[in-house]
Amino acid sequence: MASCLFYPNSTEDFMPNKTVTIVGAGLGSLATALRLSYKGYQVKIIEKQDKAGGRLHILKKDGFTFDVGPSFFSMSYEFHELFDSIGEPIPFELNELNPLYTVNIQGQDRVFQIYKDLDKLAAEFRGIEDDFETKVRKYLKGAKEIFHDTEYRVVKKNFDSIVGFLASMATVPLKHAPKLFRTFWAELERHFDSEEVKIIFSLVAFFLGATPFNTPSVYNLLNYTELEHDGYWNVKGGMYKIVEGILPLLEKKGVEIIYNTEIVSAQYNKKELVSVTDQNGEVYTSDLFVINADAAWFRGKFLNRPKFSEEKLDKLEWTLAPFTIYLGVKGKIDGIHHHNYFLGNNFRDYADTIFRSTVAPEKPYYYVNVASKSNANCAPEGCENLFILCPVPDLRVKPDWSDADHLVNEIIDDLGERVGYDIKNNILTQVVYTPEHWKDMFNLYKGSGLGLAHGLNQIGAFRPSNKDEELNNLYYVGASTVPGTGLPIVVIGSKLVLERIENEHPTV
Ligand SMILES: Cc1cc2nc3c(=O)[nH]c(=O)nc-3n(C[C@H](O)[C@H](O)[C@H](O)COP(=O)(O)OP(=O)(O)OC[C@H]3O[C@@H](n4cnc5c(N)ncnc54)[C@H](O)[C@@H]3O)c2cc1C
């Protein structure tokens, strides 16, 4: 077992009181560890992988460096809040995306550049959507209202009961009620005529693993977050700089991180989690525990909760699984930008079937991030590094990925053709992660990339809580507990957990 031990600088500046064991070192864990350790809790993290970050991972191969999962995020101010709350400057440099992304639709010569600047965005849709600017402003006004009317009532709040959650929901202005019963797509249809605008505005839901045809229209607030509110951001030097920025701060506070160590069982009595045990039989005890592994899966697998049995979990809604390709390519590809979506010309059929299809998608829809466009250090000179993400059905639906090569070839051929570059014959390095890899690497339930979906029956008090139902000293943080998935959202989750722990188990 390789381990990395961090000790406090001196006993004077670190007086530990309550001990906390965190299972998993994803971003939710790291943010929780920061908040807790700066409050004086003595934190230990146990991580299955050989490095921290979870899905926010890094891959280095043959001179190329890839961000493995997230490549950008919204709500950058949540990172500022995190570091402000512990009195530290933000330890990495944020970079606002402009344009936000580009969209390529099969059969159309033009590439849509999606800007936050609505004048520039309107120019992209000239000749496609009449009076776009008036329409988009009206659409975003509604989306803005729902964002701000739910932010503190639904998202940034702990709930102890369904009644409490419903009471809080009842304070959301009634004018939003119709949006609960309308789909994301139906809301777009009320505002826009062209398929192009509707499809492009749906992507924020689709690439979050949800089809706009059955996602409630309240989620058009995501269009407000991307197009008006805070836009999209990434990190100078690559997304893993977030993790590299956090680790020294944890070290400063004496947080110990034990790597290459998987928790395989949990021991508990009626009231408390007593310990967790790793694959080598090593037992970890502490006053408190925070689980950063999937909150629903952990309850079923380690606490034997009938409500979270495999049969029950399979009936829940999970986000799509990632099929990811990391390519180091010789030569510079002019026909591609930093963040790109490549879509076919059958959006509705594709979105309708992708969740249920037992075979790999034909004519796949995919996202490509070319980090080397802005970060020269992540590829050798004169080369590009491509991260390709194709959302696919999870392992409940398509359990066997022995045919992965077919999808890889299809995507590489299609991409080469659409950007006018012979990618296939210029590949210097290639790594592929199927949903099976994703499941095994981070214990993602059936390979679901973003964890539990966010339908109205799986948010707030209907989502697995961040406080265990039975064990008084057990908490959860991360994508499948509240408030939900995505980098800024799990950072919010860490704040919600801190609030609970500080109230229920204050230190010193
Ligand atoms: C391909 C992909 C692309 C994405 N793109 C974006 C994006 O662009 N923007 C965005 O905001 N979000 C994106 N996301 C979502 C985002 O990555 C997640 O919501 C977020 O990283 C989840 O963090 P988490 O705290 O839940 O922890 P995770 O990242 O799930 O980490 C949990 C950790 O726990 C460890 N673990 C699990 N079980 C055990 C055990 N038994 N013992 C020990 N350790 C264990 C795992 O190894 C892992 O390191 C993407 C996700 C994927 C998969």
Side-chain angles (χ1 to χ4, degrees):
M1 174 174 71
S3 70
C4 169
L5 299 176
F6 297 134
Y7 294 102
N9 293 335
S10 78
T11 47
E12 270 160 26
D13 60 7
F14 186 71
M15 293 290 286
N17 186 347
K18 295 239 160 63
T19 54
V20 186
T21 300
I22 307 185
V23 176
L27 181 65
S29 158
L30 300 179
T32 305
L34 275 179
R35 295 188 197 271
L36 287 172
S37 61
Y38 274 72
K39 294 274 183 182
Y41 292 84
Q42 188 182 352
V43 181
K44 176 184 284 182
I45 301 176
I46 300 164
E47 169 55 50
K48 167 180 200 276
Q49 287 285 330
D50 63 357
K51 54 176 88 66
R55 285 167 255 194
L56 179 56
H57 221 63
I58 189 170
L59 169 68
K60 288 182 186 243
K61 190 155 180 264
D62 300 329
F64 293 88
T65 305
F66 301 95
D67 287 321
V68 169
S71 46
F72 61 95
F73 50 88
S74 58
M75 300 165 79
S76 60
Y77 48 87
E78 295 302 338
F79 282 103
H80 291 288
E81 184 283 329
L82 170 64
F83 294 102
D84 284 351
S85 77
I86 59 169
E88 296 280 0
I90 191 161
F92 42 85
E93 207 177 314
L94 298 177
N95 174 42
E96 187 168 11
L97 305 191
N98 184 22
L100 299 168
Y101 49 89
T102 66
V103 183
N104 303 253
I105 300 178
Q106 187 87 49
Q108 297 212 4
D109 294 339
R110 61 191 301 170
V111 172
F112 295 93
Q113 306 264 6
I114 306 306
Y115 295 99
K116 241 181 112 187
D117 178 329
L118 294 185
D119 291 341
K120 281 170 111 176
L121 186 60
E124 292 293 311
F125 292 115
R126 199 156 293 144
I128 286 185
E129 180 78 45
D130 290 342
D131 207 12
F132 173 81
E133 214 172 318
T134 313
K135 290 175 182 168
V136 78
R137 285 190 195 284
K138 189 165 169 229
Y139 173 73
L140 291 178
K141 184 170 175 281
K144 174 179 181 173
E145 284 172 2
I146 187 108
F147 178 88
H148 291 292
D149 287 342
T150 53
E151 188 180 6
Y152 287 95
R153 293 178 172 102
V154 182
V155 181
K156 295 185 171 175
K157 196 168 176 183
N158 280 313
F159 296 101
D160 292 319
S161 68
I162 288 179
V163 174
F165 175 62
L166 293 176
S168 192
M169 287 284 272
T171 66
V172 175
L174 208 57
K175 66 180 174 189
H176 299 304
K179 288 196 171 184
L180 297 177
F181 305 103
R182 218 178 273 145
T183 65
F184 196 119
W185 187 263
E187 182 69 13
L188 287 167
E189 281 192 313
R190 294 179 73 233
H191 289 85
F192 303 103
D193 297 313
S194 74
E195 284 297 287
E196 288 86 343
V197 174
K198 286 182 268 184
I199 290 170
I200 289 170
F201 282 11
S202 297
L203 293 179
V204 64
F206 184 69
F207 278 84
L208 269 176
T211 158
F213 301 104
N214 67 13
T215 299
S217 63
V218 288
Y219 286 107
N220 68 5
L221 61 83
L222 294 170
N223 289 134
Y224 164 68
T225 62
E226 62 173 355
L227 292 170
E228 189 176 325
H229 186 38
D230 191 51
Y232 286 140
W233 300 76
N234 64 12
V235 177
K236 202 166 168 209
M239 295 290 284
Y240 201 71
K241 293 280 174 205
I242 297 175
V243 178
E244 289 172 350
I246 291 175
L247 289 181
L249 298 176
L250 294 179
E251 182 175 1
K252 187 165 118 182
K253 288 292 169 187
V255 175
E256 179 185 356
I257 308 186
I258 303 173
Y259 294 107
N260 298 309
T261 301
E262 180 166 7
I263 294 306
V264 293
S265 69
Q267 297 71 49
Y268 49 96
N269 58 33
K270 281 208 167 105
K271 285 206 322 236
E272 290 197 322
L273 187 64
V274 177
S275 57
V276 289
T277 303
D278 73 17
Q279 79 275 20
N280 301 315
E282 188 96 16
V283 176
Y284 304 86
T285 55
S286 55
D287 298 319
L288 308 171
F289 292 84
V290 180
I291 305 303
N292 183 226
D294 188 280
W297 170 78
F298 186 92
R299 283 169 161 98
K301 182 153 177 85
F302 296 116
L303 305 176
N304 300 311
R305 299 277 163 76
K307 198 177 156 205
F308 296 94
S309 65
E310 184 173 357
E311 200 190 348
K312 294 268 171 58
L313 293 191
D314 278 355
K315 289 196 179 120
L316 297 178
E317 281 177 36
W318 294 87
T319 50
L320 286 168
F323 183 98
T324 50
I325 309 171
Y326 309 86
L327 293 180
V329 177
K330 191 167 73 184
K332 285 289 180 193
I333 309 174
D334 293 333
I336 198 163
H337 303 266
H338 201 289
H339 295 261
N340 315 261
Y341 292 99
F342 290 88
L343 315 179
N345 53 12
N346 59 343
F347 185 68
R348 182 184 274 273
D349 282 354
Y350 190 87
D352 273 349
T353 50
I354 187 69
F355 286 85
R356 300 181 260 115
S357 178
T358 54
V359 294
E362 293 293 327
K363 301 213 165 80
Y365 285 43
Y366 54 93
Y367 160 83
V368 184
N369 177 251
V370 191
S372 48
K373 292 283 178 202
S374 62
N375 176 12
N377 294 335
C378 63
E381 208 180 328
C383 298
E384 305 272 35
N385 73 344
L386 271 55
F387 159 63
I388 303 171
L389 163 64
C390 177
V392 295
D394 66 52
L395 298 169
R396 287 174 303 177
V397 185
K398 179 172 161 43
D400 178 11
W401 280 92
S402 52
D403 58 352
D405 283 354
H406 178 71
L407 184 56
V408 172
N409 292 335
E410 185 146 7
I411 291 175
I412 292 174
D413 287 346
D414 184 64
L415 181 61
E417 203 174 298
R418 287 165 82 164
V419 301
Y421 190 81
D422 182 2
I423 294 177
K424 195 180 197 158
N425 288 308
N426 284 292
I427 295 175
L428 298 175
T429 194
Q430 174 177 321
V431 175
V432 175
Y433 293 151
T434 71
E436 286 170 300
H437 291 107
W438 280 97
K439 171 183 143 280
D440 293 343
M441 285 190 298
F442 306 116
N443 288 341
L444 302 186
Y445 188 70
K446 305 272 162 115
S448 165
L450 286 90
L452 278 173
H454 299 83
L456 295 177
N457 56 347
Q458 290 189 178
I459 57 166
F462 296 111
R463 205 168 177 79
S465 171
N466 57 359
K467 170 77 199 280
D468 194 67
E469 294 74 14
E470 293 176 23
L471 308 180
N472 185 30
N473 64 341
L474 176 57
Y475 298 85
Y476 301 84
V477 71
S480 284
T481 181
V482 290
T485 197
L487 300 180
I489 307 296
V490 300
V491 171
I492 296 173
S494 70
K495 192 171 179 218
L496 294 178
V497 169
L498 175 81
E499 267 171 36
R500 283 205 186 269
I501 292 180
E502 273 201 302
N503 278 336
E504 295 164 16
H505 303 276
T507 198
V508 192

